[in-house]
Amino acid sequence: MLVLLPPSEGKASSGRGAPLKPESLALPGLTAAREAVLDELAELCAGDEEKAREVLGLSEGLRGEIAKNTQLRTAGARPAGEIYTGVLYDALDLASLDAAAKRRAARSLLVFSGLWGAVRVTDRIPSYRCSMGVRLPGLGALGAHWRAPMAAVLPEAARDGLVLDLRSAAYAAAWKPKGEVAGRTATVRVLHAPTRKVVSHFNKATKGRIVRSLLTAGIAPKGPAELVEALRGLGYGVEVREPARAGTPWTLDVLVDEVH
């Protein structure tokens, strides 16, 4: 099973560990594309601060985030699972998993990123600020920058198992499963059951709980149909839309009664 996660806007501090080693990150086929973003992002943020703030879409109150991006190669690095914070990652709570569940997380979780493309939760990275929606002056839109490298690397990472896609739209644009891989991909929405509306906070929290439930139970469904049964067995209400044609993902709606 391969689980595709969005990153978080908020991130923990880099800490005092050894600095980034780009060549040590998972999915080495993305290294050249990562280096290109690293170089341009660092150059942008070391220059005109106002231009950098505009390009990164930062409010005045987040101006201090620009400095992070000038130190990407020298700041301490920590496992990505410790760097990413926020609602989904609070609910997932990787640190409190038992040893077996942590091993499953290391094998199956892949976090998408405007800067890194995608990383494992065990990959050591510094804190940074760069969303997938950013358009860098040289490289252009990051979603488009990542499409070709991702298309070359991700099918192999998916192997022959289930792909559980929990990404938001901006990150989903960087790689869309196709063909046989798409046929064993399940995208998940979390809906407020009475209204059938998506609400951001509990959408993220429930996705984090779903992943935690699968990891702690040691469940690795082989395909979308098995995933539906597994989630129902774990107590989730799930509505299913099977693909209308071959080579397209399944859509799963997880229904939640309470907004929390």
Side-chain angles (χ1 to χ4, degrees):
M1 177 174 65
L2 185 66
V3 182
L4 311 181
L5 297 174
S8 58
E9 288 297 324
K11 298 174 183 69
S13 62
S14 292
R16 299 184 179 182
L20 171 73
K21 294 181 179 179
E23 69 279 4
S24 72
L25 299 179
L27 306 178
L30 300 179
T31 299
R34 288 169 177 151
E35 292 279 7
V37 182
L38 269 168
D39 288 344
E40 184 170 355
L41 185 61
E43 181 179 358
L44 170 72
C45 292
D48 185 332
E49 189 175 273
E50 192 58 36
K51 179 180 179 181
R53 187 171 72 86
E54 181 180 343
V55 169
L56 296 177
L58 300 177
S59 66
E60 180 64 35
L62 293 174
R63 183 183 290 271
E65 294 285 285
I66 295 169
K68 287 183 178 180
N69 295 340
T70 66
Q71 302 167 6
L72 292 170
R73 295 187 184 273
T74 58
R78 297 168 60 185
E82 297 177 13
I83 290 289
Y84 294 116
T85 60
V87 175
L88 188 154
Y89 292 90
D90 286 347
L92 175 54
D93 195 7
L94 287 167
S96 70
L97 294 174
D98 64 29
K102 285 179 179 177
R103 288 193 294 271
R104 295 181 197 112
R107 292 193 301 267
S108 62
L109 305 189
L110 201 61
V111 184
F112 274 60
S113 162
L115 175 52
W116 315 113
V119 291
R120 300 285 187 185
V121 293
T122 50
D123 282 338
R124 299 182 64 85
I125 60 173
S127 188
Y128 67 97
R129 192 75 178 218
C130 184
S131 71
M132 191 66 80
V134 165
R135 179 182 292 272
L136 291 174
L139 292 176
L142 290 179
H145 170 75
W146 286 113
R147 281 185 200 127
M150 290 288 196
V153 168
L154 266 293
E156 181 179 351
R159 298 186 180 180
D160 58 357
L162 168 74
V163 178
L164 174 53
D165 191 351
L166 303 178
R167 298 172 296 168
S168 54
Y171 292 90
W175 181 61
K176 294 183 179 180
K178 295 181 179 179
E180 182 268 336
V181 178
R184 50 186 164 88
T185 296
T187 62
V188 173
R189 301 188 306 171
V190 180
L191 304 182
H192 184 215
T195 64
R196 291 303 196 273
K197 292 182 179 179
V198 174
V199 180
S200 178
H201 178 87
F202 80 94
N203 173 52
K204 294 175 183 178
T206 302
K207 286 179 176 178
R209 294 187 192 109
I210 286 171
V211 177
R212 183 180 178 87
S213 296
L214 293 170
L215 293 173
T216 55
I219 299 173
K222 295 181 180 179
E226 286 190 26
L227 174 64
V228 172
E229 294 306 309
L231 292 178
R232 288 173 176 165
L234 290 167
Y236 293 95
V238 182
E239 294 180 348
V240 185
R241 280 180 285 161
E242 297 186 24
R245 63 184 186 278
T248 54
W250 291 49
T251 300
L252 277 54
D253 288 341
V254 176
L255 306 179
V256 181
D257 291 322
E258 296 182 7
V259 180
H260 59 88

